[in-house]
Amino acid sequence: MAEMKSVGKSIRKKDSMQLLLGKAVYVDDITPQDCLCVGVLRSPHAHALITEIDTSAALKLPGVACIFTYKDVPQKRFTMAGQTYPEPSPYDRLILDQRLRFVGDAVAIIAADNAKILEKAKKLIKVRYEVLPAVLDFRSAKDNAILVHPEDNWRSLCPVGADNSRNLCAAEVSGDGDVDAVLADCDIVFENTYHTKACSQAMMETFRTYTEIDTYGRLHVVASTQIVFHLRRILANALDIPKTKIHISKPRIGGGFGAKQTAVAEIYPALVTWKTGRPAKMIYTREESMIAGSPRHEMEIRVRLGAMQDGSIRALDVYTLSNTGAYGEHGPTTVGLSGHKSIPLYTGGLHAFRFAYDVVYTNVMSAGAYRGYGATQGIFAVESAVNELAEMLGMDPVAIREKNMVREGQIMPAYYNEVAGACALDRCMKQCAKLFDWEHKRPVRLLPDGKVRTAGVAMAMQGSGISGVDVGSATVKLNDDGFYTLSIGAADMGTGCDTILAQMMAECMDCDVDRITVFGADSDASPYDSGSYASSTTYVTGKAVERACEELKERIISLAAIMLSCDSTELEFLGDCVARLDKSASVSLADIAARSACGNDQALQTTVSHTSPISPPPFMVGMVEIELDRETGSVEILDYTAVVDCGTTVNPALATIQTEGGLVQGIGMTLTEDIHYDSRGRLSENSLMQYRIPTRLETGRLHVEFAPSYEQSGPFGAKSIGEIVINTPAPAIAHAVYRATGVWQRELPITPEKIWQSLQEKK
């Protein structure tokens, strides 16, 4: 392949100077400050019915514009999950409901002139509750006598095994081969259960939305969202109004990580504006984001593994119990990844697998999407089980993976029978072991001060969009002075997708990236895009850009043929001009652009939508060196080395930053980010003082490299990178902790208290 000019280069992000200079680009920066301030009165009970609500005193307070209760909203159920229609998540929400299902559920919506009046009004609303028994333990939720959703108008649009009369949001069993027969024929069979708690995305910009009625009488919503087009449908369903009445636009997002794939905050100011006609804004406090957001699903995963004495893994039997909380957002879809993105890693020698799951309703905050989307939990369980097998057999865990890992060209039965068309997992492992110096860092080393150093390893896979579902689109246009506009519906949330897609267009059009203006994420002006989630943008939308550029070049050549009085087959596109093949004449791109604006009936603009029947997995290997204090149980990360196969690395600098960020989040999930619900369903960790995300000082040395492959179906051979990068820290660190202590930690987070306690029990 010829050397590429833009793709594969570490080009600076298009908005980097904006960020460095502190330019106003977020929702609260670009929307009026004198609009109505919207807030929500929240339930103090995990499960209750509102028997009486009196808002009269609050409404008399000067500056209060309106207060809405469950009596004032449409009785049409919907889901807040940002997914392609028909949504797999059940329609189980009302904007406001008489039945409250978790501590923090919405009781009333208040709009006032300012935040101070708003808080006063909340205190004046009098509510009488009938407190009901709550389901707080997800292990006892299935078929519990207490129903979280007993309502008659609950419905599921897709056959995902949902049954509200059993507290089931989803259930399924799948597999390949006779698992029980293969297990019976194995030398070693063991079973362990792994538990991961819910954890918060903790993005810097909390949930926030501004709403107004535009000059055409439509509801204009400016939101920090990953799902511009899905949000339009969600709001239309909730408000029971036509989609044509809604216009969604997105400024810059201050982090999402999946949290903003759920319409957490948008519905409340939208209702206020639609009912009153007045502009309104809602900005979640950090506490609200923590207690009424959309965190990662709590999961308990049982892994049964069958292997031979030589380390050949022949059977995997995985059962996942997932806690969707009070509502079903993303419940049916996250759980599938816990098996379908972990079991296929061992396709190399696997003779049979079974994967079953139940997703249950409980009376805690509903879960949503978070980077890794279920694969993170499943990979922690399966990779930990493989590490346990390696230690049991006295084998090097790198060697046992090399013996069993999926390799290029293999069919993956546990991954919907897709072929590993581009797979450099073996090279990732070899390269990572060398960079990390696995051979010397793996042994347990006792230091003079009594601390212990050792290492752990894990590998991971993810996907590139949702096969056969996700749609990415791009509109490319040659402007009248020879520069280009790229319009996309994907939302750049700090990932740099605007830059990456511009690099692809620059490569296609043989021009500099600076000659491309990127316009993004507006439901009126952008071409349809499913949204920025499921690691889809580079792979799916990128291919749309590539295809659109090819069509645009044909259009440019066609107009140039008219200008040069020849046939288009006699011409070639050369980036800054179109020339005859014999080089006898040419016309500049600027002249073609000028000609397109005068006496022309051929638009130099094209829109292409793309979807893929497959979802090629990126792969990754991570190795960690820790120092553990056996006296206190504290763990220090010394070195984390990661090697990623994301196909062609479109922008190495941005890919490196993506990887480092994912590793830090994975380290936090593994060691520090803990939550506790009390007996009444109240969450203790409601701020970043209690919920501790790691700082850069706690994540040690991060070393990231790439082992490129070439994915034939991807743009320029690219796959995704956004989510896979969070998946290896949990099992790798858990492995290292075992080697340092001799005790397996099968629940996250692995806190010093748990380590210390397990060491006392071992003694």
Side-chain angles (χ1 to χ4, degrees), residues 466-500:
I466 305 171
S467 57
V469 173
D470 280 350
V471 173
S473 301
T475 297
V476 293
K477 179 175 67 170
L478 177 65
N479 296 292
D480 58 6
D481 60 352
F483 74 97
Y484 297 100
T485 299
L486 168 62
S487 297
I488 56 173
D492 192 329
M493 51 182 165
T495 53
C497 77
D498 287 0
T499 306
I500 288 165

Side-chain angles (χ1 to χ4, degrees), residues 271-444:
L271 178 73
V272 168
T273 294
W274 190 249
K275 289 262 194 179
T276 67
R278 297 178 62 181
K281 186 185 294 187
M282 185 172 191
I283 297 177
Y284 267 43
T285 63
R286 180 60 61 182
E287 180 180 355
E288 283 182 302
S289 292
M290 299 299 290
I291 68 165
S294 56
R296 189 184 296 283
H297 286 75
E298 176 184 24
M299 292 187 187
E300 188 171 82
I301 301 169
R302 186 180 70 238
V303 179
R304 195 158 55 128
L305 185 151
M308 307 306 285
Q309 283 292 343
D310 67 353
S312 300
I313 299 170
R314 298 183 58 206
L316 277 167
D317 186 3
V318 175
Y319 169 73
T320 301
L321 178 65
S322 177
N323 184 3
T324 194
Y327 301 97
E329 277 98 26
H330 302 280
T333 45
T334 48
V335 69
L337 278 67
S338 68
H340 293 305
K341 300 287 172 73
S342 59
I343 300 169
L345 285 166
Y346 294 93
T347 296
L350 207 63
H351 293 187
F353 82 91
R354 178 166 52 218
F355 173 44
Y357 58 75
D358 289 311
V359 183
V360 292
Y361 283 115
T362 59
N363 291 116
V364 299
M365 169 177 39
S366 58
Y370 185 3
R371 193 181 206 166
Y373 203 79
T376 313
Q377 298 95 307
I379 287 169
F380 167 62
V382 170
E383 284 297 278
S384 291
V386 172
N387 281 331
E388 293 196 41
L389 173 66
E391 298 294 340
M392 200 180 297
L393 293 172
M395 284 185 69
D396 185 334
V398 168
I400 208 168
R401 285 176 169 82
E402 289 175 335
K403 189 178 189 70
N404 295 283
M405 69 170 58
V406 62
R407 292 176 185 266
E408 193 161 285
Q410 290 182 335
I411 296 172
M412 300 175 284
Y415 192 59
Y416 314 106
N417 287 309
E418 282 194 24
V419 177
C423 174
L425 183 56
D426 53 347
R427 288 191 283 115
C428 287
M429 185 66 74
K430 186 176 181 180
Q431 190 174 332
C432 195
K434 183 179 178 181
L435 289 168
F436 181 76
D437 194 12
W438 172 256
E439 186 179 338
H440 294 102
K441 287 183 178 177
R442 180 193 168 209
V444 177

Side-chain angles (χ1 to χ4, degrees), residues 737-756:
V737 168
Y738 165 77
R739 291 192 57 76
T741 62
V743 182
W744 287 105
Q745 302 291 334
R746 300 187 182 101
E747 180 184 72
L748 299 182
I750 304 170
T751 61
E753 293 85 352
K754 289 178 185 175
I755 294 172
W756 185 87

Side-chain angles (χ1 to χ4, degrees), residues 114-145:
N114 58 53
K116 192 173 181 180
I117 297 170
L118 177 64
E119 290 305 313
K120 282 184 181 178
K122 282 185 189 179
K123 294 172 185 176
L124 293 174
I125 299 173
K126 296 175 182 176
V127 189
R128 185 170 293 171
Y129 302 97
E130 178 189 345
V131 180
L132 304 172
V135 184
L136 298 176
D137 180 5
F138 75 128
R139 298 173 186 87
S140 64
K142 182 180 174 181
D143 294 322
N144 197 301

Side-chain angles (χ1 to χ4, degrees), residues 214-247:
D214 69 14
T215 52
Y216 299 100
R218 300 168 72 213
L219 178 65
H220 179 211
V221 179
V222 182
S224 183
T225 180
Q226 300 171 223
I227 46 160
V228 169
F229 290 95
H230 293 334
L231 179 58
R232 180 173 61 185
R233 180 183 65 249
I234 292 167
L235 292 179
N237 286 343
L239 297 170
D240 200 15
I241 63 176
K243 295 182 185 68
T244 55
K245 294 288 187 182
I246 301 174
H247 169 207

